[in-house]
Structure formats: C-alpha cells, structure tokens
Amino acid sequence: MARADGIALLESEVRELVRRRGVDPMAEPDRLTDLVREAAADYADRAARGLLLGLPDMERVVREVSDAVGGFGPLQPYLDDPEIEEVWLNAPSRAANLLPQPGCPDPHHFAQRRSGGAVSARLIAVRGPPRSEGGRQRTS
C-alpha cells in the first residue's frame, strides 16, 4: 500500500464518520478536525500493529484529509495563504498560483485523488460562476 493509498483510506473513513455523525465539514471545521484526528489515531494504531502502512508526518496527513473533506483539496493551502493573490486552474491536475510579484506564475501539478474539475465545480458552487472584469458572467 502506497502513501496515497493510505491517505485515500483515511479520507474514506473520515467521510464515513462525517456521514454517520451528521457533521457538516464546511460549517463545523472544528468537529471535522476532531474526526480526522480520531480516524488518524485509529489508523496509526492499526499501522503500529502492522495491519496498515504507516504514514509519516501525521499532522500533514490530518491537514490533507481535512482539506479534502472540508475544503478544496490540494488548492486549500493556496486559498488559505494570504500571500497568494490568485489561483488559476489550467487543467484538472494543474494550477498556477500567482504571488504578489507581477507576472511570476508558479505552476503546480497535483497528483490527487479528486480531480481539479471536481474542485472547480465545488468552487463555483460556493463562490458562484467566474465573472469577467466588467462584472458580467462569462459564458465560456
């Protein structure tokens, strides 16, 4: 089992806990974090017994799973970073974040379970469709 498989398993377990306990991940981020930590501790216990592959840096894993379940997946750290001015989605697995330095795109490729297309759809659902500079909704 690879690291990505371990994180996918943990994410799946957290999503099941969210459903069973009726937690709204976006409205109750503290409860979500508690669930992720609970599931991560259980995962670590099973890994210590040799049942699963251990995941180093569990704090990072907790953040990744929290971002995937209650945020915008691999885009969430960029959305939370006050230094990031814009995030451009160039393809389902590719984005460029633009820092305050003009004209310096920093491309990032996402090897992720959730496609950028799904993340884009979620962003539109939360923030509304993209708008042109003139304030009118873009049609393409």
Side-chain angles (χ1 to χ4, degrees), residues 64-118:
E64 284 181 36
V65 172
S66 295
D67 289 349
V69 175
F72 295 101
L75 293 177
Q76 193 62 49
Y78 302 110
L79 298 173
D80 292 342
D81 187 338
E83 295 295 313
I84 303 294
E85 189 173 302
E86 294 180 326
V87 176
W88 293 358
L89 291 177
N90 299 326
S93 63
R94 184 177 170 171
N97 69 306
L98 300 180
L99 300 175
Q101 299 89 7
C104 296
D106 182 16
H108 294 275
H109 296 276
F110 301 119
Q112 62 192 37
R113 295 169 308 283
R114 172 183 279 160
S115 74

Side-chain angles (χ1 to χ4, degrees), residues 2-3 15 22 24 42 65 80 105 113 118 126:
R3 179 181 186 278
R15 288 182 186 281
D24 181 343
D42 181 63
V65 172
D80 292 342
R113 295 169 308 283
V126 171

Side-chain angles (χ1 to χ4, degrees), residues 14 17-18 21 23 30-40:
V14 168
L17 285 173
V18 164
R21 296 185 187 177
V23 174
D30 292 337
R31 280 189 70 196
L32 173 64
T33 301
D34 291 343
L35 285 180
V36 174
R37 289 188 190 289
E38 178 185 325

